[in-house]
Amino acid sequence: MNKQNMNLDATVEFGKFVSVFSKEDLFKLLKQGISVKSLTDLDDQLMTGTLFNNLSDDMKQVYLQFLRKELAEKVDKLPKMASTSTDVGAFFAEKYCGLDHEELHVVSLDNGNRILGDDLVSKGGLESTIAEPRQVFRTVLKRNAAGFFMMHNHPSGKLNPSPNDIKFVKRIQVLSKEIGIDLIDNFIVSDGKYLSFGEQDLI
């Protein structure tokens, strides 16, 4: 067995070893390997790619296990079915009420209204997030979705849509009809409340 294969076997074994760790213990290990103060700081640093590539093989295994447990928690928290816009709006309003910056999310559904995923499409500042239609449709196509909801939050506490909000959503609606993937509704959430574009006859 050559040295490369020995290193690979050792990495696999270490991955199995850390797989039994809790998410909190994995985070503690990561803090020892890199300078990180919070989960958000961890994502901001590692998702750039450059820092991840500079991690040791063992630390990469720790981070991958951490991501698996984080993803499993998020999936468990997702509602399994999206029966009405009210269900999804209430879910969004509760989940994203505390953000201090704007985010645009897409929730993709299959033909049975089962939720395939809640994906962050764009992240912005205090008053706006910049997104392109291609980012939205890249997400729903990747999920092989039959339909989707969109959501962005207003940290200001105001639910009223801006002219740019309405223009963007109407553009997505037109494109969704052309592609054949249904935009079911769009939400603005803030302070635990939501506004539905469908309920307000904005789409």
Side-chain angles (χ1 to χ4, degrees):
M1 181 180 293
N2 61 36
K3 184 176 181 180
Q4 183 177 4
N5 287 336
M6 291 177 63
N7 290 338
L8 178 60
D9 289 343
T11 299
V12 171
E13 287 303 315
F14 184 76
K16 293 179 180 179
F17 172 69
V18 297
S19 66
V20 300
F21 285 27
S22 68
K23 191 179 75 171
E24 290 73 21
D25 288 337
L26 290 168
F27 183 62
K28 290 176 182 177
L29 286 174
L30 286 169
K31 287 177 68 176
Q32 295 174 10
I34 58 176
S35 177
V36 58
K37 298 178 181 178
S38 67
L39 297 181
T40 301
D41 187 31
L42 175 65
D43 284 336
D44 288 344
Q45 289 190 50
L46 287 174
M47 294 312 289
T48 60
T50 54
L51 182 55
F52 181 80
N53 291 334
N54 289 331
L55 291 176
S56 68
D57 288 339
D58 285 351
M59 290 306 296
K60 286 179 180 178
Q61 287 296 318
V62 171
Y63 183 57
L64 289 174
Q65 290 295 339
F66 177 85
L67 284 182
R68 291 188 184 104
K69 293 181 184 295
E70 180 82 353
L71 178 60
E73 284 188 5
K74 289 181 178 180
V75 169
D76 287 341
K77 290 177 182 178
L78 280 173
K80 304 306 179 186
M81 300 285 289
S83 55
T84 66
S85 286
T86 301
D87 293 338
V88 180
F91 165 71
F92 275 139
E94 179 181 357
K95 185 174 181 181
Y96 298 110
C97 65
L99 294 177
D100 60 0
H101 58 275
E102 281 204 8
E103 292 186 357
L104 173 63
H105 285 251
V106 168
V107 168
S108 301
L109 281 70
D110 67 10
N111 284 318
N113 280 345
R114 289 180 290 268
I115 292 177
L116 301 172
D118 170 12
D119 295 292
L120 173 63
V121 174
S122 178
K123 182 177 178 180
L126 178 61
E127 297 181 352
S128 66
T129 178
I130 300 174
E132 296 290 338
R134 65 175 177 271
Q135 295 171 275
V136 173
F137 289 105
R138 184 186 299 123
T139 298
V140 296
L141 288 170
K142 184 177 179 180
R143 291 283 188 182
N144 196 26
F148 64 101
F149 293 94
M150 290 196 307
M151 180 285 303
H152 76 276
N153 63 305
H154 282 179
S156 65
K158 299 178 181 178
L159 288 174
N160 295 334
S162 70
N164 284 337
D165 290 338
I166 297 173
K167 181 179 179 180
F168 178 74
V169 173
K170 287 187 177 295
R171 177 62 174 156
I172 295 295
Q173 184 182 32
V174 169
L175 292 172
S176 70
K177 290 179 179 178
E178 293 177 358
I179 295 173
I181 303 176
D182 187 26
L183 171 60
I184 303 167
D185 204 344
N186 178 77
F187 302 95
I188 296 174
V189 302
S190 187
D191 290 342
K193 301 177 182 179
Y194 74 89
L195 179 143
S196 160
F197 273 46
E199 293 174 359
Q200 298 296 320
D201 294 324
L202 293 172
I203 57 173

